[in-house]
Amino acid sequence: FCLNDEEVTMEATSYLLSKGVTKLGFCSDNISSPLQQARLKGFILAHNKKGLNYNKDFLFNEISNIEDGIILGERLFKDHLEIEGIIAGSDFVAAGLIRSAVRNNIQIPQHFSIVGFDNHPISLVTNPQISSICNRIQDMSNDLVNHIVNKINGVKQTPVKKVYNGEFIKRNSS
C-alpha cells in the first residue's frame, strides 16, 4: 500500500515548470530513502520532459520540519540564490519556507513558488495557503487495516501491492 510518489511529484514539478518557474529546488528528509528517490526521479523526469536541466545545487537533504524550512529559507533569501521555487518534502517544511519568505519580504508565489507534501491541515492556515500533494493516507490506512483483519480472520488472500495515485492540490503558494 503505497503512493505513486514519482508520478505525482512529476505532475507538481511540471505544473511549476509550465508556469515559467524553471529554477526549482527539491527538499528531502533523507535523499537515500526509496520514497525520496522516487520523488526525486519524478522531479528530474519533469525537467527532462520539458527539455530543461535541474540544478544539483538546489537539491536539499535533511530538511524535515518547520525549523529546517525556516533555516533553508533564510539561506535562500539572504544569499539571493537564483532559485524561483521549491518542491518541499512536507507541508511543515513549506510552512517554514513561507515564514522565512515573509520575514525577507519575498512575495509568494510572485517571487517564489512552494509546493508541500502530505496535504496536512497546516497547509490551510498559512498565508498564502500551501499547494500540496495529497498522499491518500486515509485510503491506504483503511485498505491496510482491512487486509490485516481479513488475514487475522483466516480469509485466503493473494499477496497485494496496491499503488495509489496522489493528487496535486493547487492553492495560493504556487
Side-chain angles (χ1 to χ4, degrees):
F1 301 94
C2 63
L3 185 70
N4 188 336
D5 287 282
E6 179 182 321
E7 188 175 310
V8 73
T9 304
M10 183 172 62
E11 178 187 346
T13 304
S14 295
Y15 171 77
L16 290 177
L17 293 173
S18 71
K19 288 186 67 175
V21 183
T22 57
K23 296 174 184 170
L24 277 176
F26 176 87
C27 285
S28 65
D29 56 1
N30 179 358
I31 197 68
S32 63
S33 76
L35 172 102
Q36 295 298 330
Q37 283 295 301
R39 291 180 185 180
L40 179 59
K41 186 175 180 185
F43 178 82
I44 293 169
L45 282 171
H47 281 81
N48 291 343
K49 285 186 174 192
K50 296 276 187 188
L52 299 169
N53 293 319
Y54 68 97
N55 187 335
K56 291 182 182 179
D57 291 335
F58 295 162
L59 302 181
F60 305 102
N61 192 23
E62 298 182 359
I63 309 292
S64 62
N65 56 44
I66 293 173
E67 293 81 11
D68 293 340
I70 292 170
I71 292 167
L72 176 60
E74 293 299 315
R75 185 174 139 216
L76 296 176
F77 304 135
K78 287 191 177 184
D79 292 347
H80 304 289
L81 294 180
E82 292 187 19
I83 188 169
E84 301 169 332
I86 203 155
I87 303 290
S90 76
D91 294 327
F92 295 103
V93 170
L97 286 162
I98 287 174
R99 173 73 174 114
S100 181
V102 168
R103 276 193 210 166
N104 288 281
N105 297 314
I106 304 296
Q107 299 294 312
I108 306 291
Q110 295 86 344
H111 301 125
F112 192 80
S113 293
I114 301 171
V115 173
F117 218 103
D118 301 329
N119 197 33
H120 191 276
I122 196 173
S123 65
L124 299 173
V125 298
T126 58
N127 188 14
Q129 291 183 342
I130 300 168
S131 296
S132 188
I133 294 170
C134 182
N135 56 14
R136 310 241 345 249
I137 289 291
Q138 189 66 48
D139 294 337
M140 284 188 266
S141 299
N142 290 339
D143 289 348
L144 178 60
V145 168
N146 288 335
H147 186 78
I148 291 170
V149 167
N150 287 339
K151 186 114 176 132
I152 290 169
N153 290 332
V155 175
K156 298 281 186 200
Q157 308 179 102
T158 57
V160 169
K161 178 175 183 180
K162 186 169 181 181
V163 179
Y164 299 80
N165 293 321
E167 179 185 1
F168 176 46
I169 300 169
K170 297 172 192 90
R171 295 192 181 102
N172 300 335
S173 70
S174 63

